[in-house]
């Protein structure tokens, strides 16, 4: 398994940073060759399934993730969302956290443990670096777009 951590401090209130990083369909706009759908559609809650379909043609696969923790930020408190990967290709979990940062800004933390089935653990460093790069760029884009 490859673990990675991405942190950003942004000039946004907590609730706006949270809204931007948990608009799931927008993740598809930010991650190359990916489309995201939410089951059931509507407000996210514990049990919501976020399905990212990545790839092209016969090389595409689904990455279903179940929301197991859904705690939006309230009254200046930290918000946390945990997604458990339930697919056949990508396994692990991701946590998105929004907490108070310096100067009234929001601190956004993306933690992930990822394992790609059929990819030997000898390639964990490559998976870690490439995931951190792709998801770091995605997080930047999500936080920039209102």
């Amino acid at each position: 398994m490859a673990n990675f951590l991405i942190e950003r401090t942004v000039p946004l209130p907590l609730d706006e940073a949270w809204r931007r990083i948990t608009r799931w369909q927008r993740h598809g706009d930010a991650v190359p060759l990916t489309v995201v759908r939410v089951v059931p559609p509507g407000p996210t809650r514990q049990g919501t399934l976020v399905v990212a379909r990545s790839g092209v043609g016969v090389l595409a696969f689904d990455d279903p993730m179940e929301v197991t923790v859904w705690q939006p930020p309230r009254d200046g408190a930290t918000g946390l969302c945990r997604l458990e990967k339930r697919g056949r290709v990508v396994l692990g979990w991701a946590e998105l956290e929004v907490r108070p940062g310096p100067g009234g800004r929001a601190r956004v933390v993306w933690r992930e443990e990822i394992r790609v089935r059929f990819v030997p653990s000898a390639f964990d460093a490559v998976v870690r670096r490439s995931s951190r790069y792709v998801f770091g760029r995605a997080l930047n884009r999500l936080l920039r777009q209102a």
Side-chain angles (χ1 to χ4, degrees):
M1 291 236 169
N3 293 293
F4 66 89
L5 171 72
I6 304 165
E7 297 181 275
R8 301 287 188 267
T9 300
V10 292
L12 297 170
L14 293 180
D15 59 342
E16 179 61 17
W18 178 263
R19 185 184 72 78
R20 290 183 187 193
I21 66 170
T22 61
R23 288 185 299 173
W24 307 118
Q25 288 86 350
R26 298 293 300 273
H27 283 242
D29 298 336
V31 177
L33 304 174
T34 301
V35 175
V36 177
R37 63 186 167 85
V38 179
V39 181
T44 300
R45 62 186 183 280
Q46 191 170 336
T48 295
L49 196 62
V50 178
V51 182
R53 182 152 184 86
S54 298
V56 178
V58 297
L59 298 178
F61 63 92
D62 284 342
D63 178 13
M65 296 164 275
E66 180 184 351
V67 175
T68 58
V69 175
W70 181 254
Q71 300 169 342
R74 299 238 192 282
D75 301 320
T78 298
L80 177 67
C81 175
R82 182 175 173 99
L83 301 138
E84 297 283 341
K85 296 177 175 287
R86 306 280 193 223
R88 293 186 213 164
V89 177
V90 182
L91 305 168
W93 53 265
E95 289 182 343
L96 304 174
E97 181 180 300
V98 176
R99 64 175 105 141
R105 296 180 294 171
R107 185 75 175 158
V108 178
V109 179
W110 181 318
R111 289 184 220 53
E112 190 155 341
E113 180 177 275
I114 186 169
R115 182 167 69 88
V116 181
R117 197 177 301 241
F118 313 117
V119 174
S121 60
F123 291 95
D124 282 354
V126 173
V127 171
R128 180 180 305 107
R129 278 193 306 273
S130 59
S131 296
R132 193 170 190 285
Y133 176 78
V134 168
F135 293 120
R137 288 178 52 96
L139 182 59
N140 291 345
R141 186 170 179 186
L142 292 167
L143 290 169
R144 275 195 311 266
Q145 295 178 346

